[in-house]
Amino acid sequence: MNKVSLSAQQQEVFNLIEETREHVFITGRAGTGKSTLLNHLAFTTEKTIAVCAPTGVAALNVGGQTIHSLFRLPTGLIGSLDLNHGPDQRKILNAIDTLVIDEVSMVNADIMDAIDRALREARHRKKESFGGVQVIMFGDPYQLSPVPPRTPEEKEYLQARYASNWFFDAAVWQDTPLRIIELTEIHRQRDDAFKEMLNAVRHGTVTPTLGAALNSAGNRPVPEGEDIIILATTNARVNAINAEQLAKLPGKKKVAAADVSGDFAANAFPADEDLELKLGAQVMFLQNDSEGRWVNGTVGTVTKITDTVFVTVAGSEYEVHPVTWERYKYSYKQSTDELSRDVVAEFTQFPLRLAWAVTIHKAQGQTYDRALIDMGSRAFAPGQTYVALSRITSLEGLYLSRPLRPSDVIVDPDVERFMGRVESLGQLLEG
């Protein structure tokens, strides 16, 4: 891992985590460095930590394990089902000092309570929240929401027991202190006017003046021949755009097959299993380069395909080699009485994806200098428009396929209720 320097805000939060046993939720607008802080914590903490996330892809991004895998949770509604942890699983859960959950906004209340119950039971400390484990959570409820119930019966069950489906309405948090800290220093955007617009979209407080300014900035044609990515709302729209553009290019397409080994679920693949490319294809990088030549989200054009792929970015041509993503699993080593993080699967592929278009959901966490936002007929999820707009570094890089409408800005009222409890970093420093 490349060494990172924390901002003063990030350092104060790190110190709070490291020096106390408090449960903490770290949130913040897009680009405030939540991922940077999480990675720093994972690699420098003196505590024994386990890192997990709600989906395979999210777990892969933070070098952790999925929640369901780490806690051996059944799929679907958990409720009061027996968790039946075996001796090996209990040893793993007993070795954890601090549990780190990334993208916690995607975790529903039922799963959060199941995590609590699993730790209490496995550690034989049923009267202590999470069995005495410190819980640190990262995420932004204004961006990602929990997966909705699969059936009417699940929906009815959750509605009868919880104020909402969100993690923060889990029973465990009704009588367990939770410190909620919002990082406020934005590293992605430098333009104060654009920051103000994004904040208004995030909170659903867009005035007619701000809305007009956003639409005015984005109402222009995309320059011909420019590598500008389209952010769209649906997979169908993205796949159609990419297939259409690839078909337009002359020549025969070449396919790079991924090398997959070990226990790697197909829905957790970090790149295409079969990557289809042609000369001239617009692609996006899926990993930061160790030499700093590109970052996750950089867009370029394929200029040569041999055993490797050559991609031109901003006038410079780079040779791109396959990279390996590793999937981890925690285990307990009796010889050292320690928690171990072991590689259980590997996925090797070029860190590229066709990128004339990408879904807004898959653009989560990425940064683009320029993008065309295609909201289709309407936004259909809370935070969707905010996620799309906040990927872009400046107003100069914003292009809109149609003007944004008030109905495109959707904020969940349960999120507003919860986020009203956020502490300022001034309170943190004083406290």
Side-chain angles (χ1 to χ4, degrees):
M1 175 194 167
N2 296 330
K3 184 173 177 58
V4 298
S5 55
L6 299 183
S7 69
Q9 288 186 343
Q10 292 166 328
Q11 187 64 52
E12 289 298 333
V13 179
F14 175 77
N15 293 345
L16 172 71
I17 296 167
E18 199 72 353
E19 296 167 7
T20 76
R21 298 292 302 165
E22 290 190 53
H23 303 301
V24 186
F25 171 51
I26 297 104
T27 188
R29 286 174 277 178
T32 50
K34 296 184 293 295
S35 297
T36 298
L37 178 56
L38 189 156
N39 288 327
H40 180 80
L41 172 66
F43 280 90
T44 62
T45 181
E46 294 183 3
K47 298 180 177 182
T48 299
I49 71 167
V51 181
C52 61
T55 68
V57 172
L60 203 63
N61 289 339
V62 292
Q65 199 171 335
T66 65
I67 292 169
H68 279 78
S69 172
L70 178 60
F71 291 96
R72 305 281 174 88
L73 299 178
T75 56
L77 193 67
I78 299 167
S80 58
L81 290 175
D82 288 339
L83 298 180
N84 296 325
H85 292 120
D88 290 342
Q89 185 69 10
R90 285 198 296 272
K91 287 175 182 176
I92 293 170
L93 299 185
N94 269 282
I96 300 171
D97 290 329
T98 298
L99 177 70
V100 178
I101 306 175
D102 193 28
E103 301 292 14
V104 72
S105 63
M106 298 176 68
V107 177
N108 70 25
D110 176 59
I111 292 175
M112 182 59 67
D113 279 338
I115 293 171
D116 171 50
R117 183 158 61 91
L119 288 167
R120 292 186 197 225
E121 292 178 0
R123 296 164 67 90
H124 302 293
R125 296 165 74 173
K126 293 189 178 182
K127 293 185 178 180
E128 292 183 69
S129 301
F130 301 102
V133 170
Q134 179 188 30
V135 175
I136 307 299
M137 302 176 289
F138 289 82
D140 182 5
Y142 286 107
Q143 295 187 56
L144 288 173
S145 57
V147 176
R150 298 181 304 172
T151 66
E153 292 76 20
E154 286 187 7
K155 183 177 181 180
E156 184 179 359
Y157 176 93
L158 293 168
Q159 286 179 337
R161 285 160 178 77
Y162 298 111
S164 79
N165 199 26
W166 291 89
F167 75 94
F168 49 75
D169 280 326
V172 64
W173 294 123
Q174 306 316 303
D175 54 9
T176 302
L178 174 63
R179 199 141 190 191
I180 309 165
I181 304 296
E182 182 167 20
L183 298 175
T184 57
E185 185 178 320
I186 298 174
H187 305 282
R188 183 175 293 150
Q189 290 92 16
R190 301 296 179 191
D191 178 352
D192 288 339
F194 191 34
K195 289 180 185 178
E196 181 186 0
M197 293 173 185
L198 291 177
N199 198 43
V201 174
R202 183 176 191 242
H203 291 278
T205 58
V206 180
T207 64
T209 302
L210 285 179
L214 266 173
N215 283 328
S216 175
N219 182 25
R220 55 211 165 107
V222 174
E224 285 205 29
E226 298 283 342
D227 294 338
I228 295 182
I229 195 166
I230 299 171
L231 305 186
T233 55
T234 66
N235 278 313
R237 173 72 174 142
V238 165
N239 293 338
I241 292 170
N242 285 332
E244 179 184 348
Q245 294 298 322
L246 188 67
K248 285 181 180 178
L249 294 175
K252 186 178 179 181
K253 68 183 177 186
K254 298 192 176 182
V255 180
D259 183 13
V260 186
S261 63
D263 181 17
F264 221 123
N267 63 2
F269 287 170
D272 292 338
E273 185 174 14
D274 294 307
L275 174 63
E276 298 182 349
L277 294 176
K278 284 184 181 180
L279 294 183
Q282 184 166 299
V283 291
M284 179 178 71
F285 287 89
L286 302 176
Q287 261 196 356
N288 294 342
D289 176 47
S290 59
E291 299 176 28
R293 296 169 296 177
W294 59 78
V295 297
N296 187 2
T298 295
V299 176
T301 303
V302 175
T303 49
K304 190 193 305 183
I305 302 173
T306 57
D307 290 339
T308 57
V309 179
F310 290 78
V311 178
T312 295
V313 177
S316 298
E317 186 180 64
Y318 303 117
E319 184 177 10
V320 183
H321 295 266
V323 299
T324 298
W325 286 266
E326 296 174 332
R327 193 172 86 75
Y328 297 96
K329 189 172 183 179
Y330 290 98
S331 63
Y332 175 75
K333 300 296 184 188
Q334 191 157 1
S335 58
T336 58
D337 190 30
E338 290 179 343
L339 197 64
S340 174
R341 191 181 66 149
D342 308 310
V343 176
V344 294
E346 293 184 335
F347 181 98
T348 302
Q349 178 61 287
F350 290 99
L352 301 169
R353 172 183 285 142
L354 290 178
W356 286 282
V358 66
T359 61
I360 293 169
H361 186 78
K362 283 185 178 173
Q364 182 76 25
Q366 294 175 338
T367 301
Y368 307 108
D369 290 331
R370 298 177 298 174
L372 171 65
I373 310 296
D374 181 356
M375 298 306 299
S377 59
R378 64 182 180 91
F380 56 81
Q384 194 172 44
T385 301
Y386 172 65
V387 170
L389 293 172
S390 60
R391 300 308 96 202
I392 305 168
T393 56
S394 70
L395 266 180
E396 287 70 33
L398 173 64
Y399 297 85
L400 295 171
S401 64
R402 65 160 173 80
L404 297 175
R405 300 186 288 260
S407 58
D408 291 321
V409 180
I410 308 170
V411 180
D412 190 310
D414 291 309
V415 172
E416 290 282 20
R417 164 174 58 84
F418 171 69
M419 293 295 282
R421 294 168 47 196
V422 167
E423 296 182 33
S424 72
L425 279 154
Q427 286 175 295
L428 172 61
L429 292 168
E430 291 162 11

